[in-house]
């Protein structure tokens, strides 16, 4: 692969430094997980999430399978704020069920907000042309309020990747999600995994590659997420620059899973 799976794991290891794993025996109910941060998005150890991906014609384009590896927590230096975390292995499979890539993601929850990992926003196709290069990742998590309010603007996030050789910097590859706004909800959303009360969150997603400061190649899309505080992102719609639906991701299974 042009990008290194080991590099992705190294980046995630930085996020996980200092965490203490905490075994969990059961899956919390949606009602409780939407109000406290003990289990980010209601995740429990070994839980498995499955998302189906369809293209602009509604045809299958792949599957994302996520498995919770461990739960943990960390505190700030003053021990006044605790962040509970869930380490998730996320694999993308093509329509023939062949594994294309795997990455580690960390979800966290503190006080009244849950965060998805900025690493999940990487545009892998923008890294494919850089072979045998070094990648330095700087992720910024996306905040999702546990008690959403329609009309609220949410902070942006994403990931910045510095591409370099042993001698020089080569390019900056960024994916930024911004102008995030809760536009409606809650409303029931029926999926194969169940029916969830979701808020509709609209945002702008920009992917850019800058070989040098005076030359930047950009693409922008509109993203609509259907978000449940109890279970996280239930559905995502991606619209191209012409406003046409280009891709849909839908939660199709949410299973307790089995300990290996």
């Amino acid at each position: 692969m042009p990008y290194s799976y080991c590099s992705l794991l190294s980046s995630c290891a930085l996020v996980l430094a200092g965490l203490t794993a905490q075994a969990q025996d059961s899956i919390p109910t949606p009602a409780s997980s939407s109000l406290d941060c003990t289990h980010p998005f209601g995740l429990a150890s070994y839980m498995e999430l499955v998302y189906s991906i369809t293209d602009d014609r509604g045809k299958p384009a792949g599957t994302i399978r996520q498995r919770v590896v461990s739960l943990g927590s960390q505190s700030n230096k003053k021990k006044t704020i605790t962040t509970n975390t869930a380490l998730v292995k996320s694999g993308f499979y093509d329509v023939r069920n062949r594994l294309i890539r795997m990455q580690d993601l960390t979800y966290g929850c503190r006080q009244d907000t849950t965060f998805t990992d900025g690493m999940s926003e990487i545009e892998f196709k923008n890294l494919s042309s850089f072979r045998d290069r070094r990648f330095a990742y700087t992720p910024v998590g996306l905040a999702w309020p546990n008690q959403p309010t329609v009309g609220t603007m949410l902070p942006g996030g994403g990931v910045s990747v510095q591409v370099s050789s042993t001698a020089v910097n080569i390019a900056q590859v960024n994916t930024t999600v911004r102008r995030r706004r809760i536009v409606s909800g809650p409303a029931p959303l029926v999926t194969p995994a169940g029916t969830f009360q979701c808020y509709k969150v609209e945002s702008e997603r920009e992917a850019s590659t800058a070989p040098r400061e005076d030359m930047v190649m950009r693409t922008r899309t509109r993203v609509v997420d259907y978000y449940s505080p109890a279970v996280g992102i239930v559905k995502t719609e991606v619209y191209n620059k012409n406003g046409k639906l280009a891709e849909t991701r839908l939660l199709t299974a949410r299973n307790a899973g089995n300990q290996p």
Side-chain angles (χ1 to χ4, degrees), residues 123-130 173-175 207-209 217 219:
E123 282 280 2
F124 287 98
K125 63 183 180 181
N126 289 353
L127 295 175
S128 62
S129 61
F130 301 105
V173 180
N174 297 327
T175 305
S208 65
T209 302
M217 296 170 284
T219 58

Side-chain angles (χ1 to χ4, degrees), residues 28-43 109-114 144-148 196-197 199 227-232 254:
T29 63
S32 64
S33 63
S34 65
L35 298 176
D36 68 65
C37 269
T38 305
H39 298 76
F41 290 147
L43 297 174
C109 187
R110 61 176 177 267
Q111 298 178 324
D112 60 355
T113 306
T114 303
W144 303 89
N146 295 345
Q147 298 183 17
F196 307 100
Q197 293 293 323
Y199 290 83
Y227 156 67
S228 165
V231 300
R254 189 172 185 265

